[in-house]
Amino acid sequence: MGAARVIEEVSNLSPIKIRTDDFAKTLATLFSELVAGAPTSGGYILNPGDEGLLRSLDKLPAAAASALTPTGSSIAAHVDHLRYGLSLMNRWSAGENPFTDADWSASWRKTTVGEDEWRTLRSELGAEAERWLTAVRAPREVQEIELNGMLGSIAHLAYHLGAIRQINQTLRGPAEGSR
């Protein structure tokens, strides 16, 4: 997760502090839309009525989540990668620096899952996403590089949602103008 890498380098930058009070709600709105879906009245990132990442994944059986792509990845691997990255962001938001010993390659090793493991993985992703949403929503003082990491976490999630929907087209949201 690129956002985490940026936050890891926080000690190398000047200590200019930024308050997130004025835009914490915006960050939470964008993150929430990707995770939980866009309202039928319209969204900012997703098309109106798109169900978002978590409900899209709930429709997918473990066998489909475990189908390998030509690059050796799978939807299960993307989900585990997102879960791991959000767990690091949550640890950071609680005051830790989890990035110095982060093992990003481990987050790509879970390519196949059974039904119980798939249900657990989706549940863990949902829990990490909810924790991160709470953290993003809370106004705080951050350094510029930390703010970049927070914003990057939204872009990172959007990237993986798109990648997952390219792997399995049944997970795609509604076409623009279809609602």
Side-chain angles (χ1 to χ4, degrees), residues 68-79:
L68 296 179
T69 67
T71 62
S73 181
S74 68
I75 290 174
H78 279 270
V79 170

Side-chain angles (χ1 to χ4, degrees), residues 43-119:
Y44 297 97
I45 301 171
L46 302 176
N47 288 335
D50 190 305
E51 61 193 356
L53 177 64
L54 296 179
R55 283 184 284 171
S56 293
L57 294 173
D58 285 343
K59 299 187 307 187
L60 197 65
S66 300
L68 296 179
T69 67
T71 62
S73 181
S74 68
I75 290 174
H78 279 270
V79 170
D80 194 44
H81 175 74
L82 284 170
R83 180 209 52 79
Y84 181 69
L86 289 174
S87 76
L88 294 178
M89 296 303 285
N90 285 320
R91 289 172 53 200
W92 165 79
S93 73
E96 287 183 56
N97 180 1
F99 307 112
T100 55
D101 61 353
D103 184 359
W104 289 102
S105 63
S107 73
W108 286 104
R109 290 188 195 126
K110 186 177 288 201
T111 56
T112 58
V113 290
E115 287 299 336
D116 288 342
E117 192 175 17
W118 178 230
R119 192 170 19 267

Side-chain angles (χ1 to χ4, degrees), residues 51 56 59-61 64 75 164-173:
E51 61 193 356
S56 293
K59 299 187 307 187
L60 197 65
I75 290 174
I164 288 167
R165 288 179 168 181
Q166 290 297 313
I167 294 169
N168 188 310
Q169 295 182 9
T170 67
L171 301 180
R172 289 188 176 175

Side-chain angles (χ1 to χ4, degrees), residues 15-56:
I16 296 172
K17 298 289 187 175
I18 302 165
R19 292 286 315 166
T20 65
D21 303 61
D22 293 334
F23 49 85
K25 184 177 178 184
T26 299
L27 296 176
T29 296
L30 298 175
F31 185 79
S32 178
E33 181 178 319
L34 291 167
V35 171
T40 56
S41 60
Y44 297 97
I45 301 171
L46 302 176
N47 288 335
D50 190 305
E51 61 193 356
L53 177 64
L54 296 179
R55 283 184 284 171
S56 293

